[in-house]
Amino acid sequence: MQDYAKFIQEYPTYDKTHDVDELRDHEYGRLDRLGQVYLDYTGGGLYADSQVRLHQQALTEQVFGNPHSSNPTSLAALQLIESTRATVLQFFNADPAEYTVIFTQNASGALKLVGESYPFEVGGHYLLTFDNHNSVNGIREFAHAKGAQVTYIPICLPEMRVDMDSLGPALDRAAAGKNNLFAYPAQSNFSAVQHPLEWIEIAHAKGWDVLLDAAAFAPCNPLDLGKYKAEFVPLSFYKIFGYPTGIGALVARREALGKLHRPWFSGGTITVASVQGDKYYLAEAPASFEDGTLDYLNIPAVEIGLKHIQSIGFETIHERVRTLTGWLLDNLVKKTHSSGVPLVRIYGPLTTLERGGAVAANFFDKNGKPIDHRSIEQDANKHNISLRTGCFCNPGAGEIALGISKPELATCFSLPGHDQRLSLDDFRLCIDGKSSGAVRVSVGLVSNFEDVQVFLKFAEELLN
Ligand SMILES: Cc1ncc(COP(=O)(O)O)c(C=O)c1O
């Protein structure tokens, strides 16, 4: 176990996270029983057996009804929903007087709520980083439709961090007396760069509302909303603790919700609606943002998941992920072909400073020709390694990483037949010779040294 000794020498704090090994044995035993090497935590977290057991117990021992009624079974469901809301706020140190929690289907659902109801206007502004998930990019369509200006702030290679020379002047351009929204991810789902949370207050001082996408950050880092008071914080719970899927939240400042105008009403969001009177009255938030019946049987599992994470503690989770990421980065960059050509090119920081536990990279043969990320995935599948390939729904980061330029994209999009539809294969032809995506390996809650070693060995096999 020479490698392990070296790892511990370089990352001694890993030793303090051994509780996680026990947890993995007892609660995530299926991973090793099935020989699965799970390296897609940014895609989705994994759940502990006890989360499912406790949830099942709640369902089989109690009777829950639709919380929109006020009968005993409705009240039982409502009580668990409200207690889950309170636990979410506590998890993010968000004062209930200042913040509320709106349950959604996922982070994208939370983002759409903001996009469709934010008061974008002519003269107003939507400012966002190149580095953003498509569900944040998609908000620009609402901004365009209402005539607001849309501005992207570039990111720079090699670290894929925001170009600070552009950020300051861009933040200075909030339109006075108008509504201005600034959106960025606390952690990139492409490069794992952690963008500074201090930007929130800087942006506030310059007249911006802030949308902080916490979907990729929240699983392995504590987010203190008492300190970093973003207006809108979307997230998906399955990314934090794996189960249940299908529930996310918009954690939002009550004051900022007052600015939003919902484009419609539905069951659950009103106090009164009239057909003959052609009138409706919205309920108070969060109800006014929760369309129809909440997933009331699964919401209790969110509280179970949050408590599970709290029982492990972010200090342990973060240190585990940091040390494994460091080892992965150190050893990937060292791998070179006999020709001297490096095996990988990593898009993002090469140290563990201000970054999370995902590593995005492309692999190259001994002549420096990129190896198609799809073939890497196929090979990894044969080794039972679950990783992710493509652009991870983050085209801005992808275009910068892969060197795909604006003129190149404009040419591609204006080719005959490309005005309405464009398949991924046709897009690949357009950017001939360049990679159209990358490989992403991400560690998380119960990753261990062996998982990372299996991947490094797999990478080694790609040499020469
Ligand atoms: C940073 C970030 N934002 C938003 C999302 C969207 O999450 P969901 O697909 O759960 O809506 C993701 C998902 O990968 C993400 O990583």
Side-chain angles (χ1 to χ4, degrees), residues 40-53:
D40 190 20
Y41 283 85
T42 303
L46 296 181
Y47 53 84
D49 293 350
S50 63
Q51 284 173 251
V52 181
R53 214 170 38 244

Side-chain angles (χ1 to χ4, degrees), residues 106-108 133 189 213 215-216 236 238-239:
N106 45 35
S108 301
H133 190 274
N189 70 326
D213 178 0
S236 282
Y238 70 87
K239 289 200 190 284

Side-chain angles (χ1 to χ4, degrees), residues 260-278:
L260 303 186
H261 302 294
R262 294 228 59 202
W264 79 321
F265 66 91
S266 65
T269 64
I270 43 100
T271 53
V272 173
S274 161
V275 169
Q276 296 184 83
D278 191 18

Side-chain angles (χ1 to χ4, degrees), residues 37-358:
V37 182
Y38 190 77
L39 293 172
D40 190 20
Y41 283 85
T42 303
L46 296 181
Y47 53 84
D49 293 350
S50 63
Q51 284 173 251
V52 181
R53 214 170 38 244
L54 287 169
H55 183 218
Q56 195 183 27
Q57 205 176 330
L59 295 183
T60 51
E61 289 178 1
Q62 295 175 68
V63 183
F64 297 114
N66 187 315
H68 286 156
S69 298
S70 34
N71 58 51
T73 52
S74 307
L75 293 176
L78 190 64
Q79 195 214 328
L80 284 190
I81 289 171
E82 293 314 318
S83 121
T84 305
R85 249 192 253 284
T87 307
V88 174
L89 289 174
Q90 187 220 341
F91 190 83
F92 293 109
N93 191 31
D95 180 352
E98 199 174 357
Y99 278 93
T100 191
V101 174
I102 295 161
F103 287 115
T104 61
Q105 223 176 6
N106 45 35
S108 301
L111 287 158
K112 188 167 180 222
L113 276 182
V114 177
E116 69 184 9
S117 38
Y118 190 78
F120 290 119
E121 58 190 321
V122 174
H125 214 136
Y126 181 41
L127 179 70
L128 65 169
T129 47
F130 262 57
D131 183 10
N132 258 313
H133 190 274
N134 262 340
S135 301
V136 179
N137 289 322
I139 291 178
R140 74 180 184 218
E141 298 307 310
F142 293 111
H144 283 314
K146 291 183 183 161
Q149 191 183 336
V150 175
T151 308
Y152 273 102
I153 306 165
I155 53 172
C156 301
L157 284 168
E159 290 228 334
M160 310 265 296
R161 295 193 194 272
V162 163
D163 174 8
M164 294 309 286
D165 289 342
S166 310
L167 179 70
L171 286 175
D172 285 338
R173 289 205 299 273
K178 301 280 181 184
N179 289 297
N180 304 288
L181 181 64
F182 172 44
Y184 73 98
Q187 179 174 316
S188 169
N189 70 326
F190 192 107
S191 62
V193 159
Q194 293 183 339
H195 300 292
L197 297 174
E198 287 70 24
W199 290 351
I200 296 167
E201 276 323 302
I202 298 172
H204 283 164
K206 295 185 177 199
W208 298 89
D209 293 319
V210 179
L211 188 167
L212 181 77
D213 178 0
F217 182 84
C220 301
N221 305 275
L223 176 60
D224 183 348
L225 293 180
K227 186 166 174 200
Y228 300 109
K229 300 190 174 193
E231 273 67 29
F232 308 111
V233 183
L235 53 101
S236 282
F237 290 111
Y238 70 87
K239 289 200 190 284
I240 310 179
F241 40 75
Y243 175 87
T245 50
I247 303 182
L250 176 64
V251 185
R253 279 175 75 180
R254 291 177 184 277
E255 199 183 339
L257 286 176
K259 261 191 167 187
L260 303 186
H261 302 294
R262 294 228 59 202
W264 79 321
F265 66 91
S266 65
T269 64
I270 43 100
T271 53
V272 173
S274 161
V275 169
Q276 296 184 83
D278 191 18
K279 183 95 181 145
Y280 70 93
Y281 297 87
L282 279 180
E284 290 291 314
S288 52
F289 289 88
E290 292 174 339
D291 292 330
T293 302
L294 284 175
D295 189 350
Y296 61 91
L297 291 184
N298 277 318
I299 286 176
V302 169
E303 183 164 18
I304 293 168
L306 290 169
K307 291 192 167 155
H308 175 64
I309 297 294
Q310 282 170 329
S311 74
I312 306 163
F314 272 121
E315 215 175 301
T316 301
I317 299 169
H318 185 273
E319 208 42 31
R320 182 94 173 176
V321 166
R322 189 191 72 78
T323 51
L324 290 173
T325 307
W327 179 255
L328 179 61
L329 287 165
D330 297 347
N331 285 282
L332 271 181
V333 293
K334 274 188 208 153
K335 295 199 188 303
T336 45
H337 291 282
S338 54
S339 59
V341 170
L343 175 68
V344 294
R345 176 163 181 217
I346 292 171
Y347 308 114
L350 298 181
T351 72
T352 57
L353 213 64
E354 291 167 1
R355 64 126 57 235

